[in-house]
Amino acid sequence: MQKETSFELKHKDIAGRIGRLTIGERTIETPALMPVYSPTKPIIDTAELTERFKCRALMTNSYIILKNPELKEKVIEQGIHKFLGFDGIIATDSGSYQLMEYGNVTVTNKEIVEFQETIGSDIGSFLDIPTMPDAYKPRAEEQLELTLERAKEATNAGFLVNAGIQGATYVDLREKAARAIGKDFKLCAVGGIVRLMETYRFADLVEVISAVKQNIPADRIVHAFGLGHPMVFSLAVAMGCDLFDSAAYALYAEGGRYLTVNGTKRLEELEYLPCSCPVCSKHGTGLKELPAEEKTKELARHNLYVSMQEIDTIKQAIRENTLWELVNVRCRSHPELYKALGKLLEQEWLAEHDPITKKSAFYIQGTESGKRTEVVNVKNRLARVESSSAVEMPPFGQVPWELSDIYPYNSLRDGIEYAGCKVTDLCKIKAIMDYQFGKGAGTLIPDNARIKKSKATRRIRGIYEGNELIAAVRASDHFIIPHIKLAERLHQKFPYPKLRIMIDDDAVEFVKEGKSVFAKFVSEVDPDLRAGDEVLIVDKDDNLLRTGTLILSPREAIDFDRGVAATVR
Ligand code: GUN
Ligand code: ZN
């Protein structure tokens, strides 16, 4: 019996997301890093992982356990959670890593899958074949075929299957693998990428992850297998990776290597420590003088601290909608990361998932900022607005001055000399209507509408027709929030599926009462909408039920069957 699994999104930025993953009784927040725990020679024990590192998920190796008769017997008897003394989510790997390192393993796929069921893994793997990056293509194809056959044998496994997607650096093979695995499995693992990370081939990593993400449903949990270096976490999260595992914190420590978010240093060469984690605070450069075994342990702790810290930094960036700013900074640490940033900025598919309005100002950090998802997303919308008052507003190009109060232009207008004729408040509102909802939406605001401003800030707060409020203006981004009368006009003017989120009959009564639209009940969404947009909520006959705010991207709203897709006004 497979434990019940659910995954829902809470916050978004670029294609990155903060989610809640529940497996049976255990829940974690994603993105999450699972430290790899060696069953034979752990560097940091599970009590410390839990208490000091607040770790709620780890990864260990079922193949090593299976091949050690004493361990095997104990783990079968106690179950993996009791044996490890760890109450969080336990993921096990299948021996594929050993296959990658040593070329062969002495276990069958069926055996190792059953063994992981027996010991009670929350997440387990089949014996996928991690093909080396530039493998001879027919060999990569052959190994992929075998991986997909093994995947089939694991579809009914009694754990959440960490389903490896292989295909080396061949985009067509990755796409094929992603479609096959994405169809049958909820947890999709981008495999065979450790070498890419170790050899700094980050641009290839972007291509591989992009090929996978574009070919699996949006609600699949994505694990970047073996991606354990904190310098790449933000890049991977921006593309929608949810889980990481790190053996790197321990392996690098054994080699005297000190991890930072900007790359790897040799501890011996450090005259100063660029970190104030408990380890670095305690020892300073005295860390170098510790006895060998103690030094390795302490270095592993530092490595894990910076890795866990980076995950929190990324999550905070998602909450603030500053993930691009973070990725931009991280990708300036190494020329190969900078190349990867270039590759990332070519990925137009990211824009569909990026919110249309953000909590933080748009910061120009360099010429690359002109290729960001926000710029891609507003292109169509700018084309909806006719204006004789446009100003050049890099990196967005010509922007009607009427839009200068709204996100993202509001943070870029300072310092721009606007020399055109006066733009009235009514003109602004009509232009914002066109921009947000489509060409001609501005005509739905009557010319005698009354515009009410805040006494304190002089900013527009509401639009009235007679005494009736037909729309509010949101203080944070100056977007228009149509009330039902204006929504009815939008509904009439723009044909289905424009501006709409369509829900199943089961949800109609709830939504009428003002309850949120759950993703489970969404059957169709206008693909031109973005998270953060104001939407018309309709039933299957296109009757307008309510207005709301879209929380997910259109594809996420359709693919997910958990969590809120839109809040209702
Ligand atoms: N560990 C690192 N890479 C891989 C991979 O591709 N598959 C599995 N199963 N484990 C890994
Ligand atoms: Zn440190």
Side-chain angles (χ1 to χ4, degrees):
M1 258 286 286
Q2 200 164 49
K3 292 172 188 161
E4 184 160 317
T5 299
S6 72
F7 183 53
E8 63 184 273
L9 301 189
K10 296 294 185 188
H11 304 281
K12 290 166 49 60
D13 200 17
I14 322 181
R17 56 257 192 115
I18 293 178
R20 263 171 71 89
L21 169 63
T22 300
I23 307 169
E25 255 103 75
R26 301 181 172 93
T27 295
I28 57 169
E29 190 173 80
T30 60
L33 173 63
M34 303 183 284
V36 170
Y37 182 87
S38 162
T40 47
K41 50 178 183 81
I43 291 196
I44 302 175
D45 66 31
T46 49
E48 190 176 345
L49 286 177
T50 307
E51 279 146 36
R52 215 169 164 193
F53 292 94
K54 308 294 173 218
C55 166
R56 302 301 303 138
L58 62 74
M59 185 150 170
T60 190
N61 196 301
S62 66
Y63 178 70
I64 293 175
I65 298 170
L66 182 76
K67 288 292 151 186
N68 180 322
E70 261 168 67
L71 269 185
K72 179 183 168 186
E73 195 181 329
K74 259 198 199 156
V75 178
I76 289 177
E77 187 190 310
Q78 300 181 358
I80 190 72
H81 290 88
K82 179 146 181 245
F83 174 77
L84 294 181
F86 186 72
D87 190 36
I89 288 175
I90 297 181
T92 48
D93 203 355
S94 56
S96 294
Y97 182 80
Q98 283 67 23
L99 195 56
M100 176 176 85
E101 290 295 326
Y102 314 115
N104 76 309
V105 288
T106 51
V107 72
T108 65
N109 184 51
K110 196 153 172 286
E111 254 179 286
I112 199 67
V113 167
E114 282 175 6
F115 182 62
Q116 294 170 87
E117 289 175 341
T118 304
I119 64 178
S121 304
D122 298 299
I123 298 174
S125 306
F126 51 81
L127 195 60
D128 54 312
I129 304 171
T131 307
M132 287 298 134
D134 302 299
Y136 178 51
K137 193 169 182 186
R139 182 165 171 79
E141 278 177 313
E142 193 184 306
Q143 294 190 335
L144 177 56
E145 286 314 313
L146 193 49
T147 293
L148 294 179
E149 274 172 36
R150 291 176 177 182
K152 280 265 179 280
E153 288 182 342
T155 40
N156 295 315
F159 44 71
L160 177 59
V161 180
N162 204 359
I165 293 172
Q166 301 291 345
T169 32
Y170 300 104
V171 167
D172 58 332
L173 297 190
R174 289 286 183 174
E175 289 171 344
K176 176 184 166 188
R179 283 192 293 270
I181 295 289
K183 187 162 72 62
D184 291 338
F185 298 93
K186 282 184 173 163
L187 170 53
C188 296
V190 188
I193 54 177
V194 174
R195 284 288 177 277
L196 292 178
M197 179 188 76
E198 287 173 345
T199 54
Y200 284 61
R201 291 174 60 179
F202 307 124
D204 290 332
L205 190 62
V206 169
E207 278 204 326
V208 166
I209 296 174
S210 284
V212 169
K213 276 291 292 191
Q214 289 176 89
N215 287 282
I216 57 176
D219 66 337
R220 300 308 194 246
I221 308 140
V222 179
H223 176 194
F225 234 138
L227 208 70
H229 199 304
M231 74 178 151
V232 296
F233 290 169
S234 61
L235 189 67
V237 169
M239 289 185 281
C241 291
D242 306 297
L243 290 176
F244 299 92
D245 67 278
S246 174
Y249 78 95
L251 294 175
Y252 282 52
E254 282 165 359
R257 286 175 295 169
Y258 181 101
L259 295 182
T260 83
V261 292
N262 299 315
T264 311
K265 312 267 185 197
R266 297 209 57 81
L267 177 61
E268 292 310 316
E269 291 167 4
L270 290 176
E271 302 296 334
Y272 305 90
L273 298 187
C275 173
S276 50
C277 77
V279 173
C280 297
S281 302
K282 180 174 168 196
H283 301 293
T285 47
L287 182 56
K288 296 197 277 190
E289 317 308 332
L290 295 176
E293 194 178 332
E294 171 78 355
K295 180 159 67 180
T296 303
K297 271 190 192 271
E298 287 289 75
L299 189 48
R301 289 184 178 112
H302 156 81
N303 287 346
L304 191 53
Y305 271 119
V306 293
S307 303
M308 296 295 245
Q309 170 84 67
E310 180 65 354
I311 297 289
D312 277 347
T313 300
I314 292 166
K315 287 201 236 176
Q316 182 60 23
I318 294 175
R319 289 301 298 262
E320 290 171 359
N321 296 136
T322 54
L323 188 54
W324 266 125
E325 279 80 358
L326 180 66
V327 172
N328 250 307
V329 169
R330 291 291 182 259
C331 286
R332 276 167 167 74
S333 301
H334 191 280
E336 293 302 322
L337 278 170
Y338 189 63
K339 258 195 229 167
L341 175 63
K343 189 57 82 180
L344 185 69
L345 288 162
E346 288 171 15
Q347 306 301 320
E348 293 218 348
W349 66 272
L350 295 173
E352 180 196 337
H353 297 295
D354 196 33
I356 197 71
T357 177
K358 301 202 172 189
K359 292 198 191 77
S360 297
F362 184 99
Y363 280 158
I364 298 173
Q365 293 172 298
T367 48
E368 302 82 9
S369 301
K371 291 187 179 169
R372 278 170 49 166
T373 41
E374 295 93 335
V375 181
V376 174
N377 272 335
V378 303
K379 218 174 222 150
N380 292 333
R381 297 190 183 209
L382 283 171
R384 295 170 177 174
V385 184
E386 272 169 37
S387 166
S388 52
S389 309
V391 292
E392 186 61 26
M393 207 181 271
F396 294 95
Q398 290 281 306
V399 174
W401 192 248
E402 290 90 332
L403 301 177
S404 59
D405 292 328
I406 71 172
Y407 177 89
Y409 318 111
N410 50 5
S411 55
L412 299 167
R413 58 181 285 172
D414 289 350
I416 291 179
E417 272 310 319
Y418 172 68
C421 50
K422 184 173 160 43
V423 172
T424 66
D425 290 335
L426 187 65
C427 286
K428 282 188 179 176
I429 290 299
K430 284 173 180 271
I432 298 169
M433 285 291 289
D434 280 356
Y435 177 82
Q436 252 181 273
F437 302 111
K439 199 174 234 159
T443 62
L444 304 177
I445 305 284
D447 290 339
N448 63 357
R450 255 187 333 115
I451 291 175
K452 205 167 161 187
K453 287 184 163 181
S454 149
K455 286 208 173 67
T457 63
R458 301 305 302 152
R459 288 163 61 101
I460 300 172
R461 300 306 304 272
I463 302 146
Y464 289 80
E465 207 170 300
N467 286 325
E468 188 181 357
L469 180 67
I470 60 168
V473 174
R474 188 157 57 200
S476 58
D477 58 7
H478 221 264
F479 274 39
I480 292 173
I481 315 297
H483 284 220
I484 198 71
K485 185 167 192 166
L486 186 56
E488 280 163 2
R489 289 178 195 162
L490 285 167
H491 182 255
Q492 200 160 42
K493 180 163 183 74
F494 294 96
Y496 181 87
K498 287 273 164 240
L499 308 177
R500 287 152 174 84
I501 176 168
M502 190 212 264
I503 61 169
D504 299 340
D505 287 345
D506 291 347
V508 166
E509 288 311 313
F510 293 100
V511 166
K512 277 186 179 164
E513 287 169 20
K515 301 218 168 80
S516 294
V517 175
F518 284 94
K520 183 179 171 153
F521 300 110
V522 173
S523 56
E524 207 64 70
V525 184
D526 173 4
D528 290 336
L529 290 170
R530 294 290 176 267
D533 263 326
E534 289 302 301
V535 293
L536 307 174
I537 305 166
V538 299
D539 67 13
K540 70 176 189 333
D541 300 318
D542 196 27
N543 295 304
L544 178 61
L545 304 169
R546 301 280 288 225
T547 63
T549 308
L550 193 59
I551 299 295
L552 302 178
S553 71
R555 202 181 313 210
E556 287 163 347
I558 291 167
D559 288 351
F560 271 86
D561 57 10
R562 287 279 181 161
V564 174
T567 53
V568 173
R569 294 206 172 266

